Amino acid sequence: MKKILSLGAAAAVLSLTAVAASAEIVATDNGTAPVAGGEYTVDIVVQGEFPLVSDLAATQFTVEASDNLTLASFTKTSTGMAEFNEERMSFTYANSEAPADGTVLLSLVFTVDAAAEEEVSVSIVPDAGFEAGVDVDAITAVVVDDGGEPISDEPTPSVEPTIEETEPAPITVAPETETGKDEPNVPTGVALAVVPAIVAGAVAVVAAKKRK
C-alpha cells in the first residue's frame, strides 16, 4: 500500500512540474521473430538519457498483447523499485537515479499460440501522468514456422545411379593363311622307307625270270 501511495505521489509531482523527458521507453523484440508453438521475447527498454524530475525517475504503464500471445514468464529490473502485476499486466518503476541508456526495465516471454503467417503485437499503454517519453506504437511481427524447410507439393524426383557404359574391346581375328595349292608335299620318313622295298622287289622278279 505504501508503494502505491509513493508512486501516486511521484505521478503528481511529475504532472505538476511538466518536465519533458528526453528518453523513450519502448517495446522491442530485438529483431527476433515469433515461432509458432514456441516463445516470443519482448523487452521494455530505456532509449536515451532518462532525466530526473524533482530528484525522481518514475514510469507506470500497462502492457497489452494480442490474444494469440500468452505470458509465460517475466524478469524485472533489479534497479530502483520495480513491480509487475501479471494479472493486470501493469508495471511501475521509481528510482532516485535515472536508469541508464539501454536498461531493460521489463522482459516478457510469451508463448505463441498463433500459426505461421499470423500476426502478433505488443504495446505499452502509459498511465495518466506518465505519458511523456513512452513510445505507444505497438510492435508487430509475423509468426514463422518451427524452422523446418517448407514442404513442397511437388514430388521429389528420384535420382537413379548413373551407370557408365563401356564399349567392349574389339576382338582381333588373325587373318587365315591360305595354303598355296602348288606347294609340294613335304616328304616324310614313311615315303623314304617304301622306296628301297620297291627296288628290292623288282630285283627279285628279274632274277626269277632269268632262272626260267
Side-chain angles (χ1 to χ4, degrees), residues 28-52:
T28 176
D29 59 10
N30 300 301
T32 59
V35 179
E39 294 183 340
Y40 181 51
T41 302
V42 175
D43 294 333
I44 311 300
V45 184
V46 175
Q47 289 186 350
E49 183 182 356
F50 202 117
L52 295 176

Side-chain angles (χ1 to χ4, degrees), residues 4 14 28 40 47-48 68 72-73 78 90 93 98 101 155 161 169 174 182-183 186-187 200:
I4 296 175
L14 289 174
T28 176
Y40 181 51
Q47 289 186 350
N68 48 13
S73 63
S78 58
S90 60
Y93 177 81
D101 178 24
D182 297 333
E183 289 184 2
V186 178

